[in-house]
Structures are given as structure tokens and as C-alpha cells.
Amino acid sequence: MTLPAPFPSSRPRRLRRDAFTRALVRERTLTQSDLIYPVFVQEGTKKRDAVASMPGVERLSLDQLLPVAEQCVALGIPVMALFPVIDAGLKTPAGDEAFNPEGLIPRVVAQLKSHFPELGVMTDVALDPYTSHGQDGLLDDTGYILNDPTVEVLVKQALVQAQAGVDIVAPSDMMDGRIGAIRGALETAGHVHTRIMAYSAKYASAFYGPFRDAVGSAANLGKSNKKVYQMDPGNSDEALREVGIDIAEGADMVMVKPGMPYLDIVRRVKDEFRVPTFAYQVSGEYAMLKAAAQNGWLDHDAVMLESLLAFKRAGADGVLTYFALDAARLLIRP
């Protein structure tokens, strides 16, 4: 860095004097096109079930989801990410419902693309919403999560989603080799335009609790954890290795999850690889800000926008956030 002239020749506050100057020299900006809106979808009609640990977030049936998709289009939010709430009776140890072509997610994808072809649709490729044990993979007799057999199921799941018309598949399972296997299967099946956003640096975080409540996997998981496949929160270099592997295997975009507690990882990934890089402002982050704002301890809109801008400053090209609708409404105000 070139050092500036000493005071008083250099007065950095000159560039902060008024709003137009601050806008002129601002290094990063946040727009609605930076946002991806995660939503929870369930079977049925006229169903809106609040998620108690995520104020303002609901599990929606398809008929209730379509107006939300329309709002995304109107607000300029480019992508909606789908997360299924699967009936308990359909959950099995092997997660077979994950690759049912008539299942919930393929039907929702088809309807969304039919009604709103201009809206990008992203789907989660993982087994935890579908397994009776709440893990993201298949178990052996000792309860250890098997890698290669799980990848075989994930490939089936991704192919079903691609056939339904999804734009982006997002493997969030953290199994080794799954990006290469999914990319190869998509190419072989002719789905050459289906993009892959890999959850490349997904940590075994305590910030996921409200999400697991929302999709109904918390009770199934019980006191188990996901530390044998999700990353150790103390590791940073390992994240770069994981991202590099996924890019080499065919990922178009990569993601760091969680978001704000791992902004250093976002920065390192962007500096190292210069590929489209995303961060997930996860359920726990959202719940904390919501709870503090509801108690009057924080200014809701101010901390929401500041937190999202932090992702852009760290190097993220976009953010998955449950604040997407609220943030977009503020960002488009004249």
C-alpha cells in the first residue's frame, strides 16, 4: 500500500463530509440482484406454518409460494432457493424420496418455472430432509456416514431436479467427490446448462439450529452431529482445498456457510480463486438479528443492510438470506 501524505496534507474526513461524496467514493454497494431468497416448501394447499425460531419465516404450500415468487420477480431478486419440508412418513434411512420424480421439489420446480420462467430456481442437493436419522448421507452399521454410496444417491437427486427444470443445483452435503459425479451425470444426461453452486466450505456450525427446526430434521438428528463430513470451525486452509477440489470437478459457483462468522473464509476464497463466490447468512444469524431487533436492542433495517453489505465487502458476489424480501424493498426505494 502506498502511504498517504501526513496530516494536514491528508485529511481522510474530507471524503466523508457529505452524502454525495460518500456515495461517490463508496467501495462496495449492495443491490437486490445480489440476493438469493431461501424458502421452505411443504405439501398441501393454503398452508402457512410459522417457524417459531425464525420470526417472519414460514413453511409454505405451493399455492402460497407462487405469490412470493411473484414478489421476487417484482423486486428484482434473481434466484429463489428451495428447501423441502418432507412428511415424516416419507422419510427412510436411505432417503429414497429425495430422487422421486413425482416428489415435492420436482413438482414445485416445474410449477415455478412454468409461472415465472425469468426467476432463477435453485435446489438443495442433500439427504437430511429425507432421512429418518437426519443425516446428510447413508449410514453403516456403526452409524458412520458412508461417502460413495451417498454420492450415488445425490447424483440421482440432482438428475431428478435437473429434469424438472431447475436452473441451479446446490450440493450441500460435503461428501467427497460429489461435484465431479454430479457434473458428469448432468453432462451425460444432456443437462449441460444446469449450473452447480457447491457448498464448498460448509462448516459443522452451531448456527444451523433454526433451519433444522424449519425442515423438520432437528428431532431426527437428536444429539448426533455432522462433524465427520462438515468442516471443523477452526480450519481455514482446508476451506481453500475444498473449494479448489470443487472447482476442478466442475462447480460453476462456490459457497461459504455460515456467513458472517466466516467472512475471513469468503475473503480468502475470493482472493485465491476469483470465481463466483457466495455466502449463506444462515438461520442462526437471521434469528439473532431478528430477536435483538424485536427486543429493541438493534435497529432492524440498519443492521440487516449492514450485515448484508459486509458480505459484499468481504468479497461475496451474492448472499443467500432470509432477509431478501425486506432488504430488496429498502434497496429499491427512490
Side-chain angles (χ1 to χ4, degrees), residues 102-158:
E102 302 301 323
L104 175 61
I105 287 298
R107 287 185 280 111
V108 171
V109 168
Q111 286 297 311
L112 284 173
K113 295 309 296 183
S114 174
H115 285 82
F116 306 104
E118 69 273 42
L119 177 65
V121 178
M122 187 167 96
T123 47
D124 187 47
V125 179
L127 301 185
D128 52 328
Y130 302 92
T131 56
S132 52
H133 44 72
Q135 294 285 1
D136 295 52
L138 310 185
L139 309 183
D140 67 11
D141 293 339
T142 70
Y144 184 77
I145 291 81
L146 297 166
N147 192 91
D148 296 7
T150 297
V151 170
E152 293 177 9
V153 180
L154 297 173
V155 167
K156 295 179 183 179
Q157 183 182 22

Side-chain angles (χ1 to χ4, degrees), residues 30-50:
L30 176 72
T31 73
Q32 60 269 34
S33 61
D34 297 319
L35 307 175
I36 296 174
Y37 187 35
V39 296
F40 300 105
V41 61
Q42 62 179 330
E43 294 283 8
T45 57
K46 298 181 180 180
K47 293 182 71 173
R48 306 180 69 96
D49 299 327

Side-chain angles (χ1 to χ4, degrees), residues 71-94:
Q71 290 180 56
C72 288
V73 173
L75 292 168
I77 296 170
V79 177
M80 175 182 282
L82 303 178
F83 294 92
V85 181
I86 302 299
D87 292 340
L90 295 175
K91 297 185 179 187
T92 63

Side-chain angles (χ1 to χ4, degrees), residues 3-327:
L3 295 177
F7 177 86
S9 296
S10 176
R11 290 181 179 266
R13 286 184 58 192
R14 279 193 287 260
L15 297 181
R16 306 172 197 149
R17 178 172 175 78
D18 44 49
F20 79 81
T21 305
R22 291 192 296 272
L24 184 67
V25 300
R26 186 166 294 129
E27 297 173 23
R28 298 290 184 272
T29 57
L30 176 72
T31 73
Q32 60 269 34
S33 61
D34 297 319
L35 307 175
I36 296 174
Y37 187 35
V39 296
F40 300 105
V41 61
Q42 62 179 330
E43 294 283 8
T45 57
K46 298 181 180 180
K47 293 182 71 173
R48 306 180 69 96
D49 299 327
V51 180
S53 54
M54 299 178 70
V57 173
E58 297 174 305
R59 307 175 190 90
L60 302 173
S61 54
L62 175 59
D63 59 312
Q64 302 298 303
L65 182 66
L66 291 175
V68 176
E70 187 174 14
Q71 290 180 56
C72 288
V73 173
L75 292 168
I77 296 170
V79 177
M80 175 182 282
L82 303 178
F83 294 92
V85 181
I86 302 299
D87 292 340
L90 295 175
K91 297 185 179 187
T92 63
D96 304 276
E97 183 66 14
F99 54 91
N100 177 6
E102 302 301 323
L104 175 61
I105 287 298
R107 287 185 280 111
V108 171
V109 168
Q111 286 297 311
L112 284 173
K113 295 309 296 183
S114 174
H115 285 82
F116 306 104
E118 69 273 42
L119 177 65
V121 178
M122 187 167 96
T123 47
D124 187 47
V125 179
L127 301 185
D128 52 328
Y130 302 92
T131 56
S132 52
H133 44 72
Q135 294 285 1
D136 295 52
L138 310 185
L139 309 183
D140 67 11
D141 293 339
T142 70
Y144 184 77
I145 291 81
L146 297 166
N147 192 91
D148 296 7
T150 297
V151 170
E152 293 177 9
V153 180
L154 297 173
V155 167
K156 295 179 183 179
Q157 183 182 22
L159 285 173
V160 164
Q161 294 173 354
Q163 185 62 41
V166 76
D167 302 291
I168 306 168
V169 292
S172 65
D173 55 285
M174 290 300 288
M175 297 297 127
D176 295 336
R178 88 276 202 213
I179 301 301
I182 291 170
R183 173 57 72 204
L186 291 173
E187 290 287 325
T188 299
H191 299 299
V192 299
H193 302 301
T194 305
R195 282 129 281 180
I196 297 177
M197 181 186 291
Y199 286 62
S200 297
K202 182 178 181 180
Y203 286 82
S205 171
F207 282 90
Y208 303 146
F211 175 93
R212 291 171 183 165
D213 291 339
V215 299
S217 64
N220 300 93
L221 188 62
K223 295 183 179 180
S224 299
N225 61 62
K226 303 187 178 186
K227 294 180 180 181
V228 300
Y229 48 100
Q230 295 177 357
M231 285 183 52
D232 189 313
N235 292 358
S236 177
D237 292 342
E238 182 185 14
L240 299 187
R241 294 195 296 272
E242 287 278 11
V243 170
I245 290 169
D246 285 354
I247 294 169
E249 290 184 3
D252 302 290
M253 301 165 274
V254 298
M255 188 198 303
V256 175
K257 182 183 181 182
M260 191 167 288
Y262 296 87
L263 291 181
D264 60 316
I265 308 300
V266 175
R267 181 76 268 165
R268 290 195 68 187
V269 168
K270 191 62 174 180
D271 286 346
E272 180 73 20
F273 297 104
R274 300 291 178 181
V275 299
T277 302
F278 293 78
Y280 199 141
Q281 187 180 46
V282 299
S283 58
E285 299 173 65
Y286 172 87
M288 288 192 305
L289 295 181
K290 277 288 187 180
Q294 287 180 347
N295 277 287
W297 299 335
L298 293 173
D299 180 322
H300 178 278
D301 292 351
V303 296
M304 172 181 67
L305 293 179
E306 184 179 343
S307 67
L308 293 172
L309 183 59
F311 293 110
K312 294 296 299 293
R313 191 184 65 248
D317 297 287
V319 187
L320 288 86
T321 176
Y322 303 98
F323 286 118
L325 292 178
D326 288 341

